[in-house]
Amino acid sequence: MKRSARPSLALLAVLFSPSLGWAPAAEPPAPYGPAPSARQLAWHAAEFYGFLHFTVNTFTDKEWGVGNEKETVFNPTDFNADQIVQTAREAGMQRLILTCKHHDGFCLWPSKFTEHSVKHSPWKDGQGDVVREIADACKKHRLGFGTYLSPWDRNHKDYGKPEYLEYYRNQLRELMTNYGPISEVWFDGANGGTGWYGGAGGQRRIDNRTYYDWANTWKIVYDLQPMACMFSDAGPEVRWIGNEQGMAGDPCWATLNRNDFSPGNADSGRLNRGDRPGTHWVPGECDVSIRPGWFYHASEDNRVRSPHNLVDLYYQSVGRGAALLLNLPPDRRGRIHENDVQSLQGFRKILDATFAQDLARGAKATASNVRGGDVRFGAQQALNGKRDTYWSTDDNVPTPELVLDFGRAVTFNVVSLREFLPLGQRVEDWALDRWENEVWVEFAHGTALGARRLWRGGDVTTEKVRLRIVKAPVCPALSELALYREPDALRWPPPPAAQSPGK
Ligand code: FUL
């Protein structure tokens, strides 16, 4: 029998069925507002990383050195970069930022531009380089490496004069050139005051908006380190969160009108929450220490944050779309103290147990709208654990819903939501409902989503969950809706009463 050259309507319907992925391709949504650069996207992927405060202060038992400390006081007895970096890696940190120079001016590397450095320390007979050892250990353990180079220098004779800016930039160039790829450059906001200043002493005041000529100082990093993000009160890539308690605002928008600020000169409330709308993408970083001080003090050995306290910090920072920068101060041996290691292990155990299984995987997902009917933007794209796929809707559907049907009762107490960041921060209001006694009951509600929004509450037991995008100026692009259960045995304080049908 002669076969027809024209495909039947039924065949066409199958070929172009969205479920086979052969539907006419829909265009991705246009980005909305400021969106992250490549270096910022790499930074977002890190989420949790560490700070190392280590210098003469570790040996003088101070938080801020005056600048007249003798180089000989810096003398770790058992410096072990591998132990430090491995501790960080096992805690789940993705990067480490080292105080290469703190306010006291002592340099942990043998800088060509000063004698006030490890080269006059008895440690390794003046041949040591802490920056090199930490950078190399980071490379070995596959962690990013970042630098803290304090703009304020209480040792330098020229601090406050134009000559110091040249010195500062020379040092920045040294660090950006000699230690491989740098993932973050930290510009502290503490600027000017009393110091040793080459023996002159007294006060040095500077205008923190103009003295460092930031545009040209930042340019050194842009020219030399293509993937480094710069941190300060004004970004340009990453902003201070406005406190040192590790707490992002709620909401915490990734955007900021950063031209209003300069390092050391910003409104901490606005840094905490971000600006919406904002002119630039400048997400928040929550810096906080595992101990009361930034530097090691033996008197604080029993004041290390508990694993549960660290977990709470994680939810208040990473869980609000910011990053957690947790400080681990090496002790006088040059190691992370046993008490800190123990706390970090407890913290990791809780997070690993919580995020071991995504209960949304395998659920039947139905969206009220899928962009162009194209599976590439289908509901499943938010449930596959991949950050580079997303569920999206037609441009004229900014407030859709997504329903997960588990086909059985499921219990969770943590929800993770993420937007697809290359398209900007889009959602302005969202809600989650559980299915209870044949009706939807709201159990969570918020505004900003962004890089990540973690909701953590009492147990929710239900057969269905609904995500509602309540307000958005454009269609959403959601790359994650995941459900987890933090085990009761690991929760502190004990979990609140369960929210389950009939209660
Ligand atoms: C502050 C500094 O003054 C502290 O000593 C510490 O380095 C902290 C991370 O930043 O501004």
Side-chain angles (χ1 to χ4, degrees), residues 51 53 63-64 102-103 148 186 188-190 244 287 294-295:
F51 225 165
H53 273 69
E63 278 292 305
W64 282 8
H102 202 252
H103 309 326
Y148 173 119
W186 228 82
D188 193 89
E244 292 181 340
D287 61 321
W294 290 101
F295 288 92

Side-chain angles (χ1 to χ4, degrees), residues 389-401:
T389 67
Y390 55 93
W391 162 54
S392 189
T393 58
D394 293 322
D395 286 339
N396 59 351
V397 186
T399 54
E401 323 182 328

Side-chain angles (χ1 to χ4, degrees), residues 292-310:
W294 290 101
F295 288 92
Y296 175 82
H297 308 288
S299 58
E300 295 178 350
D301 280 351
N302 294 318
R303 299 181 67 196
V304 176
R305 288 176 181 274
S306 70
H308 289 106
N309 182 275
L310 294 176

Side-chain angles (χ1 to χ4, degrees), residues 154-298:
R154 304 177 89 191
N155 170 267
H156 204 275
K157 65 178 176 39
D158 291 330
Y159 183 76
K161 304 179 189 159
E163 290 81 351
Y164 172 76
L165 183 58
E166 201 181 321
Y167 169 77
Y168 184 72
R169 288 180 173 168
N170 282 336
Q171 292 202 317
L172 187 60
R173 269 188 216 98
E174 256 183 340
L175 291 174
M176 295 302 112
T177 310
N178 298 335
Y179 295 93
I182 301 293
S183 60
E184 184 161 335
V185 180
W186 228 82
F187 293 120
D188 193 89
N191 276 306
T194 59
W196 187 67
Y197 302 127
Q203 289 267 355
R204 301 264 167 111
R205 298 261 169 238
I206 52 119
D207 180 344
N208 56 21
R209 284 161 305 179
T210 53
Y211 179 58
Y212 299 102
D213 177 16
W214 282 113
N216 285 307
T217 302
W218 290 345
K219 190 169 178 302
I220 295 170
V221 178
Y222 285 136
D223 287 348
L224 296 171
Q225 289 288 340
M227 289 307 279
C229 281
M230 287 181 270
F231 163 100
S232 82
D233 294 351
E237 277 79 32
V238 178
R239 73 175 194 262
W240 186 44
I241 209 65
N243 63 63
E244 292 181 340
Q245 279 82 52
M247 210 179 292
D250 186 7
C252 177
W253 302 101
T255 45
L256 188 74
N257 299 320
R258 72 161 157 77
N259 293 342
D260 298 355
F261 299 152
S262 60
N265 174 36
D267 172 336
S268 55
R270 277 177 55 200
L271 289 174
N272 195 238
R273 293 182 299 273
D275 293 322
R276 174 105 179 160
T279 52
H280 295 81
W281 187 271
V282 196
E285 177 181 274
C286 303
D287 61 321
V288 59
S289 186
I290 195 166
R291 290 163 171 249
W294 290 101
F295 288 92
Y296 175 82
H297 308 288

Side-chain angles (χ1 to χ4, degrees), residues 29-110:
Y32 175 76
S37 61
R39 55 180 93 207
Q40 288 174 315
L41 282 173
W43 174 88
H44 275 293
E47 288 189 346
F48 170 51
Y49 44 94
F51 225 165
L52 300 174
H53 273 69
F54 191 44
T55 190
V56 287
N57 299 343
T58 311
F59 302 89
T60 56
D61 219 8
K62 286 194 176 146
E63 278 292 305
W64 282 8
V66 176
N68 63 350
E69 293 75 19
K70 292 205 163 36
E71 294 82 27
T72 49
V73 305
F74 184 83
N75 194 12
T77 53
D78 186 19
F79 179 74
N80 190 330
D82 218 61
Q83 187 266 352
I84 294 171
V85 177
Q86 195 167 336
T87 298
R89 196 200 59 196
E90 287 172 1
M93 292 178 172
Q94 304 289 319
R95 298 174 163 192
L96 274 176
I97 300 172
L98 173 69
T99 53
C100 302
K101 180 184 88 167
H102 202 252
H103 309 326
D104 54 79
F106 181 77
C107 296
L108 293 186
W109 81 104

